[in-house]
């Protein structure tokens, strides 16, 4: 396994732990953590902050509360342990669940330049999509109105911020205008999420944007 | 083939919680002189080993152990849900749901990975997301969990001690920093929503949270 060099920020991990991110970002964070032991350990630390805060909170429970809970426990069906399911070698479980299967279940659409994308169903606060970029091809030059997360699943890309391979995540804020180019060789597949529409610099992609949702 | 299975990064003698503030630059000058005398003794969460009680619930369906867990964590979960915006009645109902889940999933609790409070926090957080119809939050893929991977006693102990230190350090934060952390976790607010709610500039909020994390990291050293 290659070393992951581009990780989640504290801000994203904290918001994931608190449970306040849009669904599309949650999906990217969960998928990255599935591939990255370092960020998994950091997530555990942020969960621990939540646990420590919980220790200092207090509100009286109803007097019959415990009795209710015990009655519900006794009445509940026995716990059934889910069977361990086979894991996809390319796509971590959160992503398989979002797609409803493996890569063969993805409904790709061409967006020009050989690049294909598939928008995943999430809440409308942010958009998650899979991108398929042929080796050596560029993703159209774009800046952002909001935050964009791009996680590499296969292959690699390069832009002004460096080289990104499987497991690496690029966090691009509003100020960043970048032109990711897939490294030659294997096609690059990424999971990307944005909380605002991308703004392309060229006229044509910009006109295409409302139709293609890129 | 086994090469592809990554071990849990929390290993013997590791300091798992220190991973928290990677990426935060040292604020030597900013935090110098602010460090308080750490209180290494007097456990912040009392002397009860909540993890051991969870184990008794899992292994023996021990109602007395559960009653003790309920008395401690029930009111805390309810308060968390109320601070997140639930009214008292729905917070009561959801806190009861959370405690039912604690019973049913007690066998999944692993003291080498999380304290009881942390584990219950994650259950309460997930229930809160459902209750308030917030954005779905998938969990990461589970780590491969073979029969040989029994919770390590030393890891569990190290984690327990670090959790104690973290709890104390949170209590010792300056109020301006602590309240930012609490809002981020409990009040269901993004940083920019905290800015709107407090009238503070976004940069101030971010730097207070960063400073708070830096102090928490110091407390674990």
């Amino acid at each position: 396994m290659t070393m992951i060099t581009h990780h989640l920020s504290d801000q994203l991990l904290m918001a994931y732990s608190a449970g306040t991110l849009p669904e599309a970002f949650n999906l990217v964070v969960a998928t990255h953590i599935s591939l990255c032991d370092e960020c998994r350990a950091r997530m555990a630390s942020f969960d621990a902050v939540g646990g420590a805060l919980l220790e200092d909170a207090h509100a009286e429970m109803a007097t019959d509360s415990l009795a209710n809970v015990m009655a519900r426990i006794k009445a509940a069906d026995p716990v059934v342990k889910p069977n361990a399911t086979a894991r996809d070698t390319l796509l971590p479980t959160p992503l398989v669940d979002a797609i409803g299967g493996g890569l063969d279940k993805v409904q790709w659409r061409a967006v020009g330049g050989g690049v294909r994308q598939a928008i995943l169903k999430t809440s409308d606060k942010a958009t998650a999509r899979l991108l398929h970029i042929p080796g050596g091809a560029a993703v159209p030059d774009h800046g952002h109105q909001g935050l964009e997360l791009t996680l590499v699943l296969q292959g690699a890309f390069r832009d002004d911020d460096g080289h990104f391979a499987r497991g690496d995540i690029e966090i691009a804020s509003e100020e960043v205008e970048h032109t990711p180019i897939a490294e030659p060789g294997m096609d690059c597949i990424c999971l990307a999420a944005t909380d605002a529409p991308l703004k392309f610099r060229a006229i044509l992609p910009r006109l295409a944007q409302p139709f293609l949702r890129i | 083939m086994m090469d592809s299975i990554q071990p849990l990064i929390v290993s013997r003698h590791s300091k798992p919680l220190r991973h928290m503030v990677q990426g935060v630059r040292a604020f030597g000058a900013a935090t110098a002189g602010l460090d308080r005398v750490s209180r290494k003794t007097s456990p912040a969460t009392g002397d009860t080993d909540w993890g051991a009680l969870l184990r008794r619930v899992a292994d023996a369906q021990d109602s007395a152990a559960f009653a003790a867990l309920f008395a401690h964590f029930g009111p805390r979960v309810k308060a968390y849900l109320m601070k997140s915006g639930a009214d008292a009645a729905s917070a009561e109902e959801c806190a009861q749901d959370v405690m039912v889940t604690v019973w049913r999933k007690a066998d999944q609790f692993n003291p080498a990975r999380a304290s009881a409070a942390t584990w219950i926090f994650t259950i309460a957080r997930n229930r809160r997301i459902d209750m308030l119809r917030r954005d779905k939050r998938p969990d990461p893929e589970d780590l491969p969990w073979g029969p040989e991977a029994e919770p390590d006693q030393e890891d569990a102990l190290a984690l327990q001690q670090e959790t104690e230190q973290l709890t104390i350090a949170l209590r010792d934060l300056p109020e301006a920093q602590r309240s930012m952390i609490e809002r981020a976790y409990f009040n269901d607010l993004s940083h920019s929503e905290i800015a709107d709610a407090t009238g503070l500039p976004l940069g101030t909020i971010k730097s207070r949270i960063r400073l708070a994390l830096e102090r928490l990291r110091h407390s674990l050293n």
Side-chain angles (χ1 to χ4, degrees):
Chain A
M1 179 176 264
T2 50
M3 277 285 283
I4 294 173
T5 51
H6 299 275
H7 295 279
L8 293 165
S9 63
D10 281 340
Q11 193 179 339
L12 278 168
L13 274 168
M14 189 175 185
Y16 179 70
S17 192
T20 52
L21 285 176
E23 184 179 1
F25 288 169
N26 279 330
L27 177 62
V28 179
V29 171
T31 305
H32 174 82
I33 291 171
S34 301
L35 297 168
C36 180
D37 287 346
E38 189 178 317
C39 287
R40 187 188 290 275
R42 289 170 66 211
M43 174 192 75
S45 303
F46 281 103
D47 285 349
V49 174
L53 286 167
L54 189 66
E55 280 292 354
D56 286 343
H58 198 277
E60 284 305 315
M61 299 288 281
T63 46
D64 60 351
S65 198
L66 177 59
N68 273 344
V69 166
M70 290 312 293
R72 283 177 56 193
I73 288 166
K74 289 201 171 71
D77 297 329
V79 180
V80 181
K81 286 190 184 169
N83 292 324
T85 48
R87 294 177 186 211
D88 191 290
T89 50
L90 183 70
L91 309 177
T93 309
L95 192 50
V96 169
D97 292 345
I99 294 168
L103 214 51
D104 56 321
K105 290 277 188 283
V106 176
Q107 309 267 318
W108 295 106
R109 286 182 61 178
V111 292
V115 177
R116 292 183 290 160
Q117 75 162 5
I119 293 172
L120 302 174
K121 196 175 178 311
T122 61
S123 78
D124 57 13
K125 282 186 222 161
T127 306
R129 65 203 200 288
L130 287 163
L131 283 168
H132 184 127
I133 309 151
V139 176
D141 198 6
H142 61 283
H144 315 272
Q145 285 166 328
L147 181 68
E148 184 186 51
L149 307 181
T150 309
L151 172 67
V152 179
L153 299 162
Q154 176 192 292
F157 72 80
R158 173 175 294 281
D159 66 13
D160 295 345
D161 287 339
H163 172 83
F164 296 79
R166 177 168 166 83
D168 282 326
I169 187 162
E170 177 166 55
I171 302 170
S173 63
E174 242 165 287
E175 306 84 56
V176 178
E177 291 211 14
H178 59 166
T179 310
I181 297 173
E183 298 281 26
M186 195 185 276
D187 289 353
C188 181
I189 299 176
C190 298
L191 171 65
T194 46
D195 60 0
L198 304 185
K199 45 184 184 196
F200 285 97
R201 292 207 300 199
I203 293 289
L204 190 62
R206 186 148 198 175
L207 286 175
Q209 209 171 316
F211 302 108
L212 298 175
R213 289 184 67 199
I214 54 177
Chain B
M1 207 174 108
M2 294 297 289
D3 289 350
S4 63
I5 296 173
Q6 294 293 306
L8 181 62
I9 210 162
V10 178
S11 61
R12 196 177 296 255
H13 307 310
S14 71
K15 286 281 187 180
L17 296 187
R18 285 194 195 159
H19 291 273
M20 177 162 58
V21 279
Q22 277 177 8
V24 174
R25 298 225 167 74
F27 274 74
T31 55
L34 293 175
D35 287 318
R36 297 180 189 181
V37 180
S38 65
R39 288 181 271 136
K40 294 241 158 97
T41 49
S42 80
T45 52
D47 288 327
T48 313
D49 184 350
W50 302 112
L53 295 181
L54 280 170
R55 175 73 19 223
R56 271 160 58 189
V57 171
D59 291 348
Q61 290 76 52
D62 185 332
S63 309
F66 183 75
L69 286 160
F70 187 94
H72 184 78
F73 288 107
R76 285 168 170 77
V77 170
K78 184 174 178 179
Y80 163 65
L81 295 168
M82 288 176 72
K83 286 185 181 195
S84 296
D87 59 64
S90 34
E92 169 72 32
E93 196 184 322
C94 288
Q96 291 188 19
D97 292 346
V98 169
M99 295 312 293
V100 170
T101 305
V102 166
W103 175 287
R104 291 174 67 84
K105 292 192 170 170
D107 65 323
Q108 294 175 22
F109 171 71
N110 177 343
R113 282 198 200 171
S115 72
T118 300
W119 184 68
I120 292 171
F121 163 74
T122 62
I123 295 172
R125 170 198 63 207
N126 294 347
R127 187 68 191 87
R128 189 208 67 190
I129 290 169
D130 289 345
M131 173 181 73
L132 300 175
R133 295 168 200 273
R134 290 298 189 255
D135 273 42
K136 281 190 204 155
R137 182 192 172 283
D139 278 318
E141 184 167 292
D142 275 340
L143 287 168
W145 187 238
E148 78 287 357
E150 274 292 306
D152 184 287
Q153 292 287 329
E154 282 185 60
D155 282 347
L157 191 65
L159 191 83
Q160 201 180 327
Q161 285 168 350
E162 287 186 9
T163 305
E164 292 283 343
Q165 288 166 4
L166 184 66
T167 306
I168 291 165
L170 259 172
R171 285 180 193 158
D172 285 350
L173 282 178
E175 184 51 32
Q177 290 175 19
R178 190 195 142 85
S179 76
M180 290 302 145
I181 300 278
E182 189 171 307
R183 278 171 188 269
Y185 276 84
F186 283 11
N187 297 31
D188 197 20
L189 296 174
S190 69
H191 288 181
S192 44
E193 286 166 335
I194 296 173
D196 291 344
T198 57
L200 290 167
L202 191 57
T204 305
I205 289 157
K206 286 184 176 174
S207 73
R208 283 186 189 176
I209 288 175
R210 201 169 55 218
L211 282 168
L213 293 177
E214 180 63 18
R215 297 189 71 151
L216 296 181
R217 188 183 68 78
H218 266 291
S219 75
L220 299 173
N221 283 337

